[in-house]
Amino acid sequence: MTALDRARFQRACGLSELEEDTPKRVELDGTPVSVVRTEGEVFAVNDICSHANVSLSEGEVEDCQIECWLHGSSFDLRTGKPSGLPATRPVPVYPVKIEGGSVFVDVRAPLNQES
């Protein structure tokens, strides 16, 4: 990682700590983040459902979607967009880098700026 990357990206967890399709909640700079390993990739989204103040990391992951356990809305891990009601707003999706067996996330620069 470059010096700029080191300043922006924070270590979220070790890659080996992530079980396939099992969200892991971490907090980076006061931001709750759900880190998910699925379909051969690692994703990071804001851990709070955009519909209700509920932790997404307590939900299930399937087909690159994370489901809110309370009302059943699912969010695309790549875009943050909800795929069904009651959620209508996306959740922020954060850049992820993997280096040296660690997962790094930049919570200051969501990939989906409309969030």
Side-chain angles (χ1 to χ4, degrees):
M1 255 191 289
T2 68
L4 178 60
D5 284 347
R6 277 190 226 90
R8 295 178 58 183
F9 282 80
Q10 298 175 64
R11 186 181 187 279
C13 60
L15 186 59
S16 63
E17 295 174 52
L18 297 176
E19 294 181 38
E20 186 76 11
D21 297 329
T22 302
K24 179 175 182 65
R25 181 185 167 101
V26 298
E27 193 165 309
L28 303 171
D29 278 345
T31 302
V33 177
S34 184
V35 182
V36 180
R37 184 181 200 168
T38 187
E39 299 184 8
E41 295 185 65
V42 176
F43 300 94
V45 298
N46 191 286
D47 191 46
I48 305 301
C49 177
S50 64
H51 170 256
N53 190 20
V54 175
S55 176
L56 292 175
S57 62
E58 294 177 26
E60 295 184 10
V61 173
E62 187 176 331
D63 297 328
C64 215
Q65 305 255 337
I66 188 167
E67 181 182 45
C68 176
W69 62 269
L70 185 59
H71 295 117
S73 289
S74 290
F75 299 88
D76 189 303
L77 291 167
R78 298 165 292 224
T79 66
K81 292 181 180 176
S83 62
L85 296 174
T88 59
R89 292 177 294 129
V91 293
V93 175
Y94 305 112
V96 173
K97 289 191 178 205
I98 299 170
E99 186 174 289
S102 291
V103 177
F104 295 87
V105 177
D106 181 0
V107 295
R108 294 184 285 172
L111 296 170
N112 55 343
Q113 292 298 315
E114 71 269 14
S115 303

